[in-house]
Amino acid sequence: MHGGWAGLWRWTAVGGIGLSLYAGWLTFDEIRDHAAGERDIAAACDGLVSGAEVMDLQGGTIRAKAADDERSRLDADELPGSCAVYKVPGPGRTTGLFTLMVRVVDPDTPLHWIGDDSSLEPFRDDSAREEPDVTATADRRPEPHPVGDGTLGRYGDDHTTVRAECGPGSRAQAPELLQVTARADYDDVSAEDRDRLARLARSATAVLIDRIGCRTTLPALPARPLPAVSADLRPATGATDGSCGWFARYVRRAGQGALPDRALATPAPAASPVESCLLAVGPDQVGRIAADLPDDAHDYARTARTHSPWWLRTASYFGADARTVGYEDLGRPDKVIAVGTAGHARGAWWASSVCDGRPALHTLSAGYTYDNVLSPEELSAVFRAYVDDITARRGCTRGTYPAPEDFPAH
């Protein structure tokens, strides 16, 4: 009997040692895979980001890999470029985790886009689904908020874009302006990850500007966590603060007419090089406008409720950002707008001014069906009100406005 118990204890001990060795092997295997993932990420992103920091996104992951194709691997000597990283939850399975994108000023390719290009559509365009209130939420392209005073860049709930202007003393090859975007490629980004993306974008920019010889000073990230970015549009007349305050004042003064009744404002610090305001027409306002349209224009109202929402977006760009604004010209090369000019093309209007000795470009974009609903007088007046307001707030001079004939006649 004694021998039997001794044998049992012996086998138990051996089994315990075996399990411990197996657990240790698993731990070693995970550590090895994690380290390999960190190295792969760093290599794919050309050392601009910490692989460990990227792998901490979305609650952390043991295994991750960078995209295999060369187009998704970044080379700081050949900009623009990007790198993409995937989680590996199991053998043969990958899910999106992170993308780092670097864009630089190019005389032929804008950094900022305006007009009625479908990629700028702020609302979901799903023809298979009809919603009774399609402009309640700008869920396709919410307006980003400034990081701090905006000089460092802007952010959304799933990304942060850091900007850097290369000043005197920079290498000849350094661009005038570059943008580095750190983006989460998954849904429901946490507040912690929102701040992690901001750190990744800023640290990548700091490494990059040193490597390419860009002389500039990057502002620090705000000490407080970045708040969530709202995508919910509110009554336009209540948007008294922020980037849409001008429109609330205009509607109270000039009347609602066929103008948008909803607004999505962003903070508007005086130093920010980019400021935008999204305006949209809710379904009740669509009905009121449709009642005054000619019979042959009622189709506009029907499509506006579901598939072609009516919207306007105003945006102003200052300094280096003003020199890289453009629009898509179908069938032709993309157009970069010259500073100091005013005009119209493809659902976009622009005006120019000079603010603190630097160029500024003030723009209005309209959804492709909505600018056929507003009269030329309404469209011209609302754009003029916007430009007058922002140039007064920023102390700008030498305003140049589009000619009356630039606005569509019906």
Side-chain angles (χ1 to χ4, degrees), residues 212-234:
I212 67 175
C214 171
R215 294 290 298 272
T216 189
T217 300
L218 289 181
L221 288 167
R224 296 181 177 181
L226 297 176
V229 172
S230 174
D232 295 330
L233 282 90
R234 306 296 174 83

Side-chain angles (χ1 to χ4, degrees), residues 39-374:
R39 291 193 300 271
D40 190 30
I41 293 167
C45 299
D46 204 7
L48 298 185
V49 295
S50 160
E53 187 86 355
V54 171
M55 293 180 74
D56 282 341
L57 289 166
Q58 205 178 17
T61 183
I62 294 172
R63 298 175 181 86
K65 60 173 291 187
D68 294 328
D69 62 288
E70 289 299 318
R71 291 175 299 178
S72 296
R73 289 182 172 258
L74 198 151
D75 184 347
D77 293 327
E78 296 184 8
L79 300 176
S82 65
C83 56
V85 178
Y86 300 91
K87 289 179 69 170
V88 184
R93 295 173 54 207
T94 59
T95 59
L97 181 64
F98 173 78
T99 297
L100 184 75
M101 294 174 285
V102 179
R103 302 175 65 205
V104 296
V105 167
D106 183 310
D108 300 319
T109 305
L111 289 182
H112 305 294
W113 297 85
I114 62 173
D116 60 7
D117 176 19
S118 60
S119 66
L120 304 180
E121 165 64 54
F123 307 102
R124 286 200 187 279
D125 185 16
D126 187 349
S127 59
R129 182 190 65 197
E130 294 189 4
E131 296 183 1
D133 198 352
V134 73
T135 62
T137 303
D139 53 357
R140 177 169 177 178
R141 190 174 179 269
E143 301 300 286
H145 284 206
V147 177
D149 68 357
T151 53
L152 181 62
R154 300 202 295 171
Y155 77 98
D157 281 342
D158 65 352
H159 73 279
T160 292
T161 296
V162 167
R163 59 184 296 281
E165 292 187 48
C166 300
S170 299
R171 290 180 192 165
Q173 297 85 354
E176 179 186 15
L177 176 69
L178 62 87
Q179 291 184 345
V180 178
T181 299
R183 186 187 70 203
D185 294 332
Y186 51 89
D187 297 329
D188 301 323
V189 177
S190 67
E192 182 182 14
D193 279 358
R194 189 162 56 242
D195 289 330
R196 181 171 284 110
L197 290 168
R199 292 196 302 271
L200 283 163
R202 190 189 181 282
S203 63
T205 307
V207 173
L208 180 62
I209 60 176
D210 182 65
R211 193 179 299 178
I212 67 175
C214 171
R215 294 290 298 272
T216 189
T217 300
L218 289 181
L221 288 167
R224 296 181 177 181
L226 297 176
V229 172
S230 174
D232 295 330
L233 282 90
R234 306 296 174 83
T237 53
T240 54
D241 297 325
S243 60
C244 296
W246 69 272
F247 186 72
R249 293 187 290 272
Y250 178 77
V251 170
R252 287 198 295 269
R253 182 175 69 250
Q256 183 69 62
L259 295 174
D261 60 334
R262 290 177 168 174
L264 183 56
T266 62
S272 181
V274 181
E275 179 182 313
S276 63
C277 165
L278 175 64
L279 303 168
V281 186
D284 293 340
Q285 174 70 345
V286 169
R288 287 188 289 268
I289 295 171
D292 296 328
L293 292 176
D295 290 341
D296 59 356
H298 281 186
D299 286 345
Y300 283 121
R302 283 195 290 272
T303 60
R305 291 181 183 274
T306 53
H307 308 318
S308 300
W310 293 344
W311 56 272
L312 300 174
R313 179 184 280 110
T314 57
S316 284
Y317 307 90
F318 302 87
D321 288 87
R323 287 189 278 269
T324 183
V325 180
Y327 57 90
E328 182 185 53
D329 195 6
L330 290 179
R332 300 178 181 178
D334 299 327
K335 295 295 181 65
V336 176
I337 298 169
V339 296
T341 66
H344 161 257
R346 288 190 49 78
W349 292 260
W350 63 90
S352 296
S353 69
V354 176
C355 310
D356 292 327
R358 306 184 74 193
L361 200 68
H362 315 287
T363 71
L364 171 70
S365 299
Y368 76 94
T369 56
Y370 191 38
D371 63 3
N372 289 310
V373 172
L374 291 174

